[in-house]
Amino acid sequence: MIAPPLFILAPPRSYTSVITAMIGQHPQMFGFPELNLFNVDLLKELWGKVSEESGGDSNRRHGLLRAVAELYAGEQSSAAITMAHHWAAARENRTGGEVFRELAAKIYPLIAVDKSPTYTISTERLMRILRAFPEARFIHLVRHPIPQCESVLKLNDGIFAYFVNSFDFMEDSVVVDAQIAWHDININILNFLYAVPADRQIRVLGEEFMERPPENLARICRWLGIRDDNDAIEEMIHPERSPFACFGPVAALFGNDPNFLRSPAFRPHKPKVPPLTAPLSWRNDGRGLKPEVAGLAREFGYN
Amino acid sequence: MEKRESSDFINKEFTNQNKDVAWLCKAIQDEGYELGPMEAVPNSIEWLNELLRVPDLFEKVAGARSLPVTGEIEALANETAEARKRPFGQSDDNARRSLERLNRLVLELAHPPETPKMAYELVAVIRTSQGNHFLQEYENMDSFKRDMKEHREYSDWGLLVRSDQGKVVSSYLSSLGDREKIGMVDTEPMSTHVTPEGLSPQQSALRDAAIRHYKSNKAKAYISEQMQHVNAILQIGEALKPLFDKNGQPPPNAPLEDIIAERKKTQADIVWLETICLELKNVLTTLTVIEDGALDTLSRDSGRD
């Protein structure tokens, strides 16, 4: 038996780590690290190469290994990670959905929360979630395109932008421009959510959440039908208490954004939101946001 | 409909793209590549297709013209490294197909004004809302998307397949929304072997160059990091020196901050060494499994003899 899981859908660098960890700290929830289980059909494919072009597959198993180690061994030691490898090997021909279901059953009656951002790069991956869990719920988390793109390009020399082909082609040059990924990934999410009943999805603005976390957390709790009392909210304000809010053992160090793992405590603040007409720091040709990107950002409520 | 084997030139490609077989043959002959004896009649499509079966055409053309090869050509060149050393007929079917494709692409790259781009068919498998399936040919991806959108109430889903690669290049599901994306490349990159749909050769080359630039920067950073690790043992020894005098005794007034800093550094070095050991153990385990498997096979085979 499992509770209908919750998935946070967002492009990377959209406060997904901290917000997922906060929701996962609710007494009725369980926040997983990035499991990446719906990136593949069969579990064994998670051990295959994803891209021959720009890599990006070295750390994607860490979240699953850490989760299995924590749930089945009660610790995330090197020995427990070795056990998790065996656990996964024994299930290599199961689908990502079947493996997720097993993990969700293990934590029952808690509700599983997963936020692997790479689900959102293709609707096929998103549809795998819905096929496996037609009753799943989804939070579409959005962040202003300019700071999100700056953050993407800063992390690991912008590898994600290369990975998802976020190229802006001009007559005789090309710019790696993360706003294309911001737009297309959000469109993927919107196209996918078209197939999800309205009562099983909500949209959350990252900046608004960071500024007023208790109100936003309470709103999410009520939507999920779980406790929204002060004790529950107080627990959620402490994402650093999650067993996954730190680096893992050497064989599975990550499973989440390294910046979050380094400093997981939540600090309420009002994020700076630039105007949509602001110049873009990553372009030296003076061009701003594309009309489609600015239009979508306005639709989300940015000015 | 005119059909062809593998990457062969076909007449339709020339006529549809306003090219001429004789022009391309002349452009190739003018370059003076050392092609060796050819059986087909010169200035014919058969001559061009025989050219595609010259094992070392890649070296002759790309080498002579110092071409900036694309990702797909580079990958095919690696894949056919062995096949290019032996006569065409001695390679297996897969190697022959790859070699023909490599040669076709290298001619397209070396003689772009005269060489037609390889044509392929886009065929969609479509499932109707009544549960029936049918095949439909399309001119391009856009026409497939437009058609599926216009007929969304009659179709459940559609998969568009590129005939020369057997790869799904676009899909449509009527239960999903149909808002347009702005990216020119599909956002699920699986392989550099495939030229992303919709890109011109120049855009494709620019994309490859950007990826190569990124990779070279990463390689430089990696090498620099490894150099630091190579010196780690020396560094450990050097770092310990200040904590001991020439008799090997700690000085009576060693600052506590230095001792703490040294302790932290030593801990970090131990973690690094443990990581290397763990990785080596993993490699050893894999090698042992492969070795055991090979020995089992050998012993089975020798028993059979």
Side-chain angles (χ1 to χ4, degrees), chain B residues 185-200:
Chain B
V185 185
D186 186 79
T187 52
E188 194 159 3
M190 293 302 290
S191 166
T192 190
H193 292 198
V194 179
T195 304
E197 285 298 310
L199 292 191
S200 68

Side-chain angles (χ1 to χ4, degrees), chain A residues 146-213:
Chain A
I146 296 179
Q148 190 268 350
C149 290
E150 285 170 342
S151 187
V152 163
L153 293 169
K154 207 166 130 192
L155 184 72
N156 201 359
D157 299 326
I159 189 172
F160 182 77
Y162 287 89
F163 182 65
V164 296
N165 286 303
S166 195
F167 297 111
D168 189 14
F169 294 100
M170 279 155 298
E171 201 172 324
D172 54 2
S173 61
V174 64
V175 175
V176 179
D177 192 340
Q179 64 172 304
I180 295 171
W182 181 91
H183 178 273
D184 285 1
I185 288 175
N186 276 306
I187 289 292
N188 270 346
I189 296 169
L190 291 173
N191 281 342
F192 165 71
L193 289 177
Y194 186 83
V196 176
D199 61 340
R200 293 216 293 272
Q201 53 171 297
I202 56 167
R203 185 181 301 156
V204 173
L205 260 64
E207 292 83 357
E208 198 179 295
F209 184 100
M210 300 307 275
E211 195 181 341
R212 287 188 296 278

Side-chain angles (χ1 to χ4, degrees), chain A residues 17-297:
Chain A
S17 299
V18 68
I19 292 177
T20 304
M22 288 170 89
I23 296 172
Q25 283 307 103
H26 187 283
Q28 293 168 266
M29 307 286 291
F30 187 93
F32 279 108
E34 292 174 12
L35 295 175
N36 291 319
L37 283 168
F38 297 95
N39 290 354
V40 291
D41 278 325
L42 298 177
L43 185 63
K44 63 182 173 188
E45 292 162 21
L46 212 51
W47 268 255
K49 205 169 175 60
V50 166
S51 166
E52 292 169 25
E53 295 184 313
S54 43
D57 53 352
S58 55
N59 306 329
R60 68 202 166 104
R61 298 180 288 269
H62 290 186
L64 174 66
L65 295 171
R66 290 183 67 179
V68 170
E70 181 68 31
L71 289 180
Y72 290 84
E75 61 176 26
Q76 296 174 51
S77 59
S78 289
I81 296 297
T82 305
M83 176 279 294
H85 272 285
H86 291 293
W87 185 95
R91 291 158 178 78
E92 65 173 17
N93 286 317
R94 294 192 193 169
T95 64
E98 287 171 332
V99 174
F100 192 101
R101 186 169 288 279
E102 191 172 343
L103 294 177
K106 183 80 179 165
I107 60 165
Y108 184 79
L110 301 183
I111 301 168
V113 194
D114 182 15
K115 66 101 182 176
S116 312
T118 46
Y119 292 158
T120 59
I121 69 172
S122 89
T123 40
E124 174 52 30
R125 293 180 182 190
L126 292 168
M127 284 307 291
R128 284 188 192 126
I129 301 177
L130 202 56
R131 282 197 290 267
F133 299 101
E135 73 287 12
R137 288 164 292 186
F138 300 90
I139 293 178
H140 181 188
L141 181 58
V142 293
R143 185 182 181 187
H144 190 287
I146 296 179
Q148 190 268 350
C149 290
E150 285 170 342
S151 187
V152 163
L153 293 169
K154 207 166 130 192
L155 184 72
N156 201 359
D157 299 326
I159 189 172
F160 182 77
Y162 287 89
F163 182 65
V164 296
N165 286 303
S166 195
F167 297 111
D168 189 14
F169 294 100
M170 279 155 298
E171 201 172 324
D172 54 2
S173 61
V174 64
V175 175
V176 179
D177 192 340
Q179 64 172 304
I180 295 171
W182 181 91
H183 178 273
D184 285 1
I185 288 175
N186 276 306
I187 289 292
N188 270 346
I189 296 169
L190 291 173
N191 281 342
F192 165 71
L193 289 177
Y194 186 83
V196 176
D199 61 340
R200 293 216 293 272
Q201 53 171 297
I202 56 167
R203 185 181 301 156
V204 173
L205 260 64
E207 292 83 357
E208 198 179 295
F209 184 100
M210 300 307 275
E211 195 181 341
R212 287 188 296 278
E215 293 93 323
N216 280 285
L217 285 170
R219 175 187 160 223
I220 292 169
C221 290
R222 286 193 291 275
W223 170 68
L224 286 169
I226 56 176
R227 284 169 46 194
D228 66 342
D229 56 79
N230 288 343
D231 289 348
I233 302 295
E234 174 57 23
E235 279 299 314
M236 298 169 90
I237 296 293
H238 293 285
E240 75 278 7
R241 292 177 186 166
S242 160
F244 306 111
C246 57
F247 286 102
V250 288
L253 274 171
F254 299 105
N256 215 324
D257 170 15
N259 293 332
F260 169 74
L261 297 177
R262 201 172 288 125
S263 175
F266 173 69
R267 294 167 199 84
H269 66 287
K270 183 175 181 178
K272 286 182 188 162
V273 180
L276 294 171
T277 50
L280 308 180
S281 60
W282 62 90
R283 292 198 73 129
N284 51 19
D285 56 5
R287 294 192 193 190
L289 289 178
K290 290 174 178 292
E292 298 90 341
V293 176
L296 186 58

Side-chain angles (χ1 to χ4, degrees), chain B:
Chain B
M1 183 184 293
E2 191 175 14
K3 292 283 179 188
R4 63 153 182 247
E5 292 295 316
S6 68
S7 303
D8 279 2
F9 288 97
I10 52 175
N11 283 311
K12 190 173 76 174
E13 291 170 339
F14 286 89
T15 47
N16 288 353
Q17 299 176 46
N18 291 325
K19 313 268 181 192
D20 189 275
V21 172
W23 294 347
L24 176 56
C25 293
K26 183 171 184 313
I28 293 168
Q29 286 153 4
D30 287 350
E31 283 296 327
Y33 306 127
E34 291 176 16
L35 300 172
M38 304 277 284
E39 287 179 9
V41 179
N43 295 338
S44 66
I45 205 157
E46 289 76 21
W47 185 83
L48 288 172
N49 288 333
E50 190 179 343
L51 206 58
L52 299 182
R53 294 170 186 88
V54 173
D56 55 353
L57 186 73
F58 171 71
E59 280 80 4
K60 286 170 175 161
V61 177
R65 307 205 31 175
S66 305
L67 295 171
V69 296
T70 62
E72 183 181 7
I73 291 180
E74 192 179 342
L76 284 168
N78 290 335
E79 188 186 326
T80 56
E82 286 305 312
R84 296 205 306 278
K85 292 176 189 161
R86 54 178 176 255
F88 185 78
Q90 288 182 16
S91 293
D92 62 28
D93 285 350
N94 284 339
R96 278 193 260 183
R97 266 195 296 273
S98 297
L99 197 54
E100 286 169 336
R101 183 165 176 80
L102 171 70
N103 289 345
R104 173 74 191 252
L105 290 174
V106 86
L107 287 177
E108 283 181 24
L109 191 69
H111 303 281
E114 297 89 3
T115 314
K117 276 188 68 66
M118 196 168 358
Y120 51 83
E121 284 147 24
L122 290 170
V123 182
V125 184
I126 297 170
R127 181 190 149 101
T128 65
S129 45
Q130 281 81 41
N132 300 319
H133 297 80
F134 66 94
L135 298 178
Q136 171 84 42
E137 271 189 47
Y138 284 95
E139 287 283 311
N140 50 46
M141 259 203 307
D142 285 344
S143 58
F144 165 73
K145 285 178 183 171
R146 211 170 31 245
D147 199 29
M148 294 303 292
K149 222 183 212 183
E150 281 171 13
H151 300 101
R152 71 180 295 157
E153 68 263 43
Y154 308 116
S155 47
D156 280 350
W157 52 258
L159 295 172
L160 188 67
V161 180
R162 191 172 147 158
S163 61
D164 61 332
Q165 296 169 345
K167 177 179 172 267
V168 175
V169 291
S170 185
S171 60
Y172 186 88
L173 198 59
S174 62
S175 59
L176 295 177
D178 55 5
R179 296 181 61 160
E180 293 289 334
K181 295 198 246 181
I182 57 173
M184 293 181 70
V185 185
D186 186 79
T187 52
E188 194 159 3
M190 293 302 290
S191 166
T192 190
H193 292 198
V194 179
T195 304
E197 285 298 310
L199 292 191
S200 68
Q202 189 192 8
Q203 287 170 332
S204 188
L206 285 169
R207 174 175 172 272
D208 287 338
I211 291 171
R212 262 201 290 271
H213 180 69
Y214 172 84
K215 280 182 172 175
S216 69
N217 283 346
K218 293 299 285 181
K220 275 185 214 161
Y222 178 76
I223 289 167
S224 155
E225 195 181 327
Q226 294 309 304
M227 287 303 290
Q228 286 177 1
H229 289 161
V230 168
N231 292 326
I233 304 296
L234 285 175
Q235 284 170 9
I236 292 168
E238 288 293 317
L240 283 172
K241 271 186 186 171
L243 294 178
F244 297 93
D245 62 19
K246 59 185 175 186
N247 300 317
Q249 295 298 316
N253 57 349
L256 181 59
E257 291 82 1
D258 286 359
I259 295 169
I260 292 171
E262 201 50 44
R263 191 256 304 157
K264 284 185 174 173
K265 188 174 180 312
T266 307
Q267 281 177 330
D269 286 336
I270 289 170
V271 169
W272 172 67
L273 289 167
E274 281 177 349
T275 309
I276 299 280
C277 287
L278 191 68
E279 281 305 308
L280 286 172
K281 279 181 191 168
N282 287 340
V283 171
L284 183 63
T285 306
T286 308
L287 287 171
T288 309
V289 170
I290 294 168
E291 186 183 351
D292 287 349
L295 289 173
D296 280 353
T297 308
L298 278 174
S299 63
R300 270 201 308 274
D301 287 352
S302 58
R304 216 175 286 142
D305 292 342

